[in-house]
Amino acid sequence: MIYLDNAATSFPKPSEVYDEVLNCMKNYAANPGRSSHDMSIQASSKIAETRQELSTLFNIDCPFDIIFTCNATESLNIAIKGLLKRGDHAISTAIEHNSVLRPLNYLSKAGVELTLLKVNMEGFIDINELEKSIEKNTKVIIINHASNVLGTIQDIEKIGSICKKYGLIFMVDASQSAGVVPIDVDKANIDLLAFPGHKGLLGPQGTGGLFIRDGVKLEHFIDGGTGSNSSSMEQPDFLPDKFESGTLNTPGIAGLYEGIKFIQKIGIENIQKHEKTLTEYLLSELKKLSYVKIYGLKSAENRAAVVSINIDNMDSSKVGYILNKNNIAVRTGYHCAPLIHRVIGTEKYGTVRISPGYFNTDKDIEDFINVIKGIYKQDSWS
Ligand SMILES: Cc1ncc(COP(=O)(O)O)c(C=O)c1O
């Protein structure tokens, strides 16, 4: 299978990731932070090391300001629902994923005011419009760093500086950028950074995290055992324990550790460069096909390795079906981001999304293009 669906979850993972998940399961997957025996201490140490590696990657001062979650959706729910109260105003955008839009929609029915900024055909917000939409009760700006439909990378340093100027909290959904685009929480003034472990960070599914800047007050909504303050019925008020009730996914986090180590070994800039080269090649080949409509930016600048297309008037799911028959994995449809399709005019069929990853080659792109050419030929006969 030629796997071009890395925006959904990355595949394959570096071999070290598989090896460490198995090693952990077999040798030290005891309950972390609960007991004082060697295996439990080893599990706790691996989790602490992973927190440390994540803090290095994102330039976070204190590793305890990172909490582990199951995925980016859980991180975003903790951040959005923990932060916003009746009467608060939140600003977000039309290019967000449902893991942002749905919690916001839910809260808007409970008295939270919401502004969703428009984006242009390339997926960019208008910074002036952002500034104009700030109200007295605005508490937070929530932005998708890189779009999972168009790949568009927003200027988070600029948006972060506006948040700083107006004293707003800045929340970034780094689902499509963590591990493939450098992120520095201090440079971009990020207060809340939600990220999955199973996409660009090359870890297993069931991993994710949230950075919570010291001083940002979030309510928690899961109470339970944390292994700390166990003689009290009160949920601990300190990080990470406040948000990490219940047994953590130690084997997944151990695999994530190796994913991050791999990124550091290769260098995030080199990973980004490779993915950019593949995206540039893909776009240049697609542009030669008159029957292919490419959405969003026409070059690989300011975009993650995510490309949405359609072939003529074909339903995207039909294209995906034929690609699958030809051993090529892509995603089709709406990609859990309903509003952006109204902007790019793809409400009817969605798009075919191609998302290469670090392990893809030029040959994969060539094979994909050849199948696309075949699909068009065949469809114009039928
Ligand atoms: C932009 C964006 N946000 C959030 C998510 C949710 O990520 P997860 O599946 O880790 O919950 C995704 C997943 O595709 C995404 O692309």
Side-chain angles (χ1 to χ4, degrees):
M1 183 67 105
I2 296 176
Y3 188 81
L4 294 169
D5 193 19
N6 288 276
T9 205
S10 56
F11 182 87
K13 312 292 182 186
S15 59
E16 298 90 325
V17 172
Y18 303 123
D19 293 348
E20 192 54 34
V21 172
L22 195 60
N23 180 38
C24 175
M25 291 290 288
K26 281 179 152 174
N27 297 311
Y28 67 93
N31 208 315
R34 302 295 195 268
S35 312
S36 53
H37 56 75
D38 286 355
M39 275 172 64
S40 175
I41 291 168
Q42 195 179 347
S44 300
S45 302
K46 183 56 79 179
I47 286 165
E49 286 165 30
T50 312
R51 249 188 259 279
Q52 179 61 56
E53 294 306 329
L54 283 165
S55 56
T56 306
L57 190 72
F58 298 132
N59 190 30
I60 292 166
D61 289 339
C62 176
F64 290 152
D65 292 344
I66 298 168
I67 61 162
F68 285 111
T69 61
C70 295
N71 48 44
T73 302
E74 188 185 347
S75 307
L76 288 161
N77 270 268
I78 291 171
I80 294 170
K81 292 180 180 161
L83 183 72
L84 290 164
K85 309 251 169 336
R86 174 180 291 276
D88 289 338
H89 175 229
I91 300 174
S92 193
T93 83
I95 203 166
E96 303 306 309
H97 189 275
N98 268 338
S99 52
V100 167
L101 293 176
R102 286 182 176 171
L104 286 176
N105 183 50
Y106 171 82
L107 290 175
S108 72
K109 291 176 190 155
V112 169
E113 290 169 33
L114 177 62
T115 299
L116 290 178
L117 299 172
K118 291 194 293 274
V119 296
N120 65 18
M121 292 288 279
E122 292 172 336
F124 289 110
I125 59 160
D126 178 338
I127 298 283
N128 292 327
E129 201 202 326
L130 166 68
E131 216 163 341
K132 276 193 223 144
S133 67
I134 296 170
E135 307 279 353
K136 273 207 182 93
N137 58 341
T138 304
K139 189 164 196 180
V140 63
I141 294 179
I142 309 170
I143 190 98
N144 184 331
H145 187 193
S147 161
N148 62 313
V149 179
L150 301 179
T152 320
I153 297 179
Q154 307 288 342
D155 186 347
I156 54 169
E157 286 187 21
K158 181 97 197 185
I159 301 167
S161 69
I162 291 173
C163 289
K164 193 170 184 186
K165 182 171 153 195
Y166 291 92
L168 307 177
I169 291 170
F170 187 27
M171 187 188 306
V172 174
D173 173 2
S175 294
Q176 295 299 333
S177 55
V180 289
V181 180
I183 298 173
D184 180 322
V185 296
D186 281 349
K187 249 195 195 163
N189 287 303
I190 297 169
D191 297 302
L192 293 159
L193 181 78
F195 57 89
H198 62 100
K199 300 187 198 257
L201 291 176
L202 304 173
Q205 293 180 5
T207 59
L210 175 68
F211 158 65
I212 306 169
R213 189 176 287 285
D214 189 26
V216 174
K217 291 264 165 289
L218 290 188
E219 293 293 333
H220 69 286
F221 46 89
I222 296 183
D223 295 87
T226 55
S228 54
N229 293 3
S230 290
S231 58
S232 165
M233 274 171 58
E234 290 293 322
Q235 183 74 3
D237 198 30
F238 51 86
L239 292 181
D241 299 29
K242 183 177 177 183
F243 297 99
E244 284 184 356
S245 291
T247 305
L248 287 175
N249 174 7
T250 313
I253 293 169
L256 175 59
Y257 174 85
E258 292 300 329
I260 302 163
K261 284 306 240 189
F262 180 85
I263 292 165
Q264 284 163 342
K265 186 176 78 186
I266 304 294
I268 194 162
E269 283 81 7
N270 293 325
I271 292 175
Q272 190 179 24
K273 199 167 145 200
H274 177 68
E275 292 194 2
K276 195 171 168 187
T277 307
L278 289 174
T279 307
E280 203 64 80
Y281 181 45
L282 172 64
L283 287 168
S284 70
E285 290 302 304
L286 286 170
K287 277 187 222 163
K288 293 177 191 163
L289 309 178
S290 57
Y291 44 88
V292 170
K293 166 111 183 104
I294 305 170
Y295 300 97
L297 291 159
K298 300 294 177 285
S299 92
E301 277 314 310
N302 291 322
R303 78 182 295 158
V306 175
V307 175
S308 261
I309 62 162
N310 272 319
I311 301 181
D312 241 8
N313 291 319
M314 281 178 79
D315 188 329
S316 67
S317 58
K318 183 176 171 188
V319 178
Y321 175 82
I322 302 170
L323 284 165
N324 184 50
K325 288 267 169 226
N326 284 275
N327 280 324
I328 295 180
V330 297
R331 182 165 172 194
T332 61
Y334 301 99
H335 321 295
C336 302
L339 301 183
I340 186 61
H341 294 278
R342 298 184 196 165
V343 178
I344 60 174
T346 49
E347 302 101 311
K348 194 167 171 201
Y349 291 134
T351 66
V352 178
R353 182 183 74 184
I354 310 115
S355 52
Y358 179 70
F359 294 104
N360 285 115
T361 61
D362 282 1
K363 172 82 171 55
D364 294 340
I365 304 294
E366 262 166 53
D367 290 350
F368 166 78
I369 293 289
N370 285 332
V371 176
I372 291 288
K373 286 177 181 166
I375 292 176
Y376 179 68
K377 259 194 212 153
Q378 213 167 351
D379 200 60
S380 30
W381 293 339
S382 55

